[in-house]
Amino acid sequence: MTRIIVLPGDGIGPEVAAEARLCLELVSERFGLGFTFEEHDFGGAAIDRHGVPLPEATLAACTAADAILLGAVGGPRWDDAKERPEIGLLKLRKALGLFANLRPARIMPGLEEYSPLRADIAAGADVLVVRELTGGLYFGEKTLEQDRASDLCTYTREEIERIAHVAFQWARQRSGRVTSVDKANVLATSKLWRRVVSEVAQDYSDVALDHLYVDAAAMHLVTSPTRFDVLLTENLFGDILSDELSVIGGSIGLLGSASLGTGGAGMFEPIHGSAPDIAGKDIANPAGAIASAAMLLDHLELPSQARLLEAALEQTLREGHRTADLGGAVGCAAFGARVREILDGAAAAPRAPAHVQASL
Ligand code: NAD
Ligand code: IPM
Ligand code: MN
């Protein structure tokens, strides 16, 4: 039995998570995988019902899960809450030890027109952001007084080493290049970051490493996105650069992510937020949530099923089904339904790989 916890969250979170969950249910049914799904309150929805964004029951369920599927949290209603929804997300990442956030972004072949960049610049872009997720400014001591505030940024050698290993190992599976991003011309944490990443690189002589300051990296991402393969960043830089990178493919609604630790449950979520401006209208793009579901299948060591879901998602886009963020009029639920229609056909088709057929 594979236990999947669903945290729909707030705003468009429940809308996109529902589409991703239905895809996973279909995969489970078609391949006899016996997934079980349990929904739990999280974020603003949990504040409304329990007074806190990460209730104990939600944390306990996530701790015992095989995988977690998250929509998104937050919204103006809770911006002044004692503990905001976003704090619940940070606590959950920390409690589960999810230090590695993988955010793959690429221009799908044939879909260069979705990019706001010129097709000749965007074509072939394929970047994996490896973002450190449980350290840095997000988790340092904070003070907030009337006229003075501070956020402490700390990184240890161990925190940098483990995320650097993740980046180098991924580079080996890809094009063999790591670009490490920092602000080592100013920040002490970045000086340590650059030194430790360079040391870890010595274990990976087959991988090319270069370093960029974060401001220059932001520039290169839009002028020459194809120069990047694996982009290794600390927590805040990765948050910012991955939103920038997402629109190179057309929309923030397209990108999924995996948050992984040393073992145990991974968490899978689109990189976007709760998008309060479009919530409740069935116009959100569920592609990022569905891409996250495919990453969840990979994490459960079901690569054939992950590829089938990814292929169904890509075909849906290639057929021209576009949600409003990509200039179309297809609704969130209708988009998800088309992905599942294609997936259903592919799961039944004889061209499924042999080991997939064996478990049918
Ligand atoms: P956002 O990502 O929610 O939205 C930014 C813009 O992108 C908006 O115009 C929105 O309509 C659009 N957008 C986002 N996702 C989309 C989708 N799937 N389809 C179509 N359009 C989409 O960022 P924001 O507005 O800065 O933040 C809103 C709330 O979400 C805040 O409370 C923030 O803290 C929270 N947030 C949560 C997460 C998370 O749960 N992981 C991530 C980012 C932001
Ligand atoms: C993300 C979000 C979160 C982050 C916020 C909501 C805490 O922006 O997942 O990208 O900054 O990590
Ligand atoms: Mn973000």
Side-chain angles (χ1 to χ4, degrees):
M1 194 181 85
T2 301
R3 192 168 173 206
I4 298 175
I5 301 299
V6 183
L7 307 175
D10 311 314
I12 62 168
E15 299 170 44
V16 299
E19 296 312 314
R21 174 183 171 161
L22 286 168
C23 292
L24 291 174
E25 283 179 359
L26 180 64
V27 167
S28 176
E29 194 186 302
R30 284 287 174 273
F31 293 93
L33 299 171
F35 292 175
T36 64
F37 295 86
E38 238 181 68
E39 231 170 76
H40 283 269
D41 294 327
F42 186 51
I47 295 177
D48 289 348
R49 295 185 57 179
H50 312 276
V52 288
L54 177 59
E56 266 172 39
T58 301
L59 177 57
C62 290
T63 308
D66 293 298
I68 303 156
L69 179 69
L70 168 65
V73 296
R77 262 181 63 201
W78 305 282
D79 280 356
D80 297 321
K82 197 164 105 235
E83 203 177 65
R84 288 176 57 136
E86 294 88 340
I87 299 299
L89 180 57
L90 299 187
K91 280 188 170 173
L92 185 57
R93 289 172 177 167
K94 193 73 166 180
L96 298 176
L98 305 176
F99 70 88
N101 185 217
L102 310 178
R103 297 182 157 189
R106 68 192 184 94
I107 310 284
M108 294 179 205
L111 297 180
E112 291 82 3
E113 63 183 285
Y114 283 13
S115 180
L117 298 185
R118 275 199 338 249
D120 61 311
I121 293 175
D126 184 350
V127 186
L128 175 68
V129 177
V130 175
R131 170 192 177 196
E132 201 291 325
L133 201 59
T134 50
L137 275 171
Y138 281 65
F139 292 92
E141 189 194 330
K142 298 178 187 315
T143 64
L144 176 57
E145 295 159 35
Q146 198 57 38
D147 302 310
R148 188 187 155 83
S150 66
D151 298 275
L152 184 66
C153 187
T154 305
Y155 267 108
T156 65
R157 165 178 288 278
E158 195 224 335
E159 286 173 318
I160 302 167
E161 278 176 354
R162 65 183 181 178
I163 193 70
H165 281 291
V166 172
F168 284 105
Q169 277 162 20
W170 271 103
R172 277 191 171 155
Q173 316 289 318
R174 294 171 49 95
S175 301
R177 285 176 289 135
V178 170
T179 301
S180 176
V181 170
D182 61 43
K183 190 74 186 174
N185 47 353
V186 178
L187 302 176
T189 41
S190 282
K191 290 189 174 100
L192 180 67
W193 181 277
R194 190 173 282 221
R195 195 193 318 144
V196 173
V197 170
S198 301
E199 284 170 22
V200 172
Q202 293 177 2
D203 293 348
Y204 300 87
S205 54
D206 49 331
V207 176
L209 168 68
D210 70 336
H211 302 273
L212 280 181
Y213 298 132
V214 61
D215 47 354
M219 183 271 291
H220 285 300
L221 275 174
V222 289
T223 54
S224 47
T226 53
R227 92 185 274 297
F228 296 98
D229 177 21
V230 173
L231 194 65
L232 168 61
T233 78
E234 61 86 73
N235 203 344
L236 181 63
F237 297 160
D239 180 45
I240 298 167
L241 293 181
S242 55
D243 270 30
E244 182 190 358
L245 188 58
S246 75
V247 289
I248 293 173
S251 164
I252 192 171
L254 291 172
L255 251 65
S257 84
S259 301
L260 306 174
T262 42
M267 186 152 79
F268 302 84
E269 54 169 314
I271 77 152
H272 62 74
S274 59
D277 52 335
I278 59 165
K281 298 179 179 167
D282 187 34
I283 59 169
N285 189 342
I290 294 171
S292 305
M295 296 176 88
L296 184 154
L297 291 170
D298 266 323
H299 181 66
L300 296 177
E301 296 182 5
L302 296 165
S304 310
Q305 287 84 347
R307 299 293 81 73
L308 281 179
L309 180 52
E310 269 175 10
L313 177 59
E314 283 197 31
Q315 191 182 323
T316 303
L317 289 165
R318 203 164 279 128
E319 285 173 350
H321 298 271
R322 295 178 182 215
T323 42
D325 52 320
L326 293 170
V330 176
C332 179
F335 185 97
R338 180 61 193 144
V339 173
R340 289 186 295 278
E341 216 169 69
I342 297 167
L343 181 64
D344 206 20
R351 64 188 165 78
H355 63 288
V356 174
Q357 282 176 21
S359 59
L360 272 171

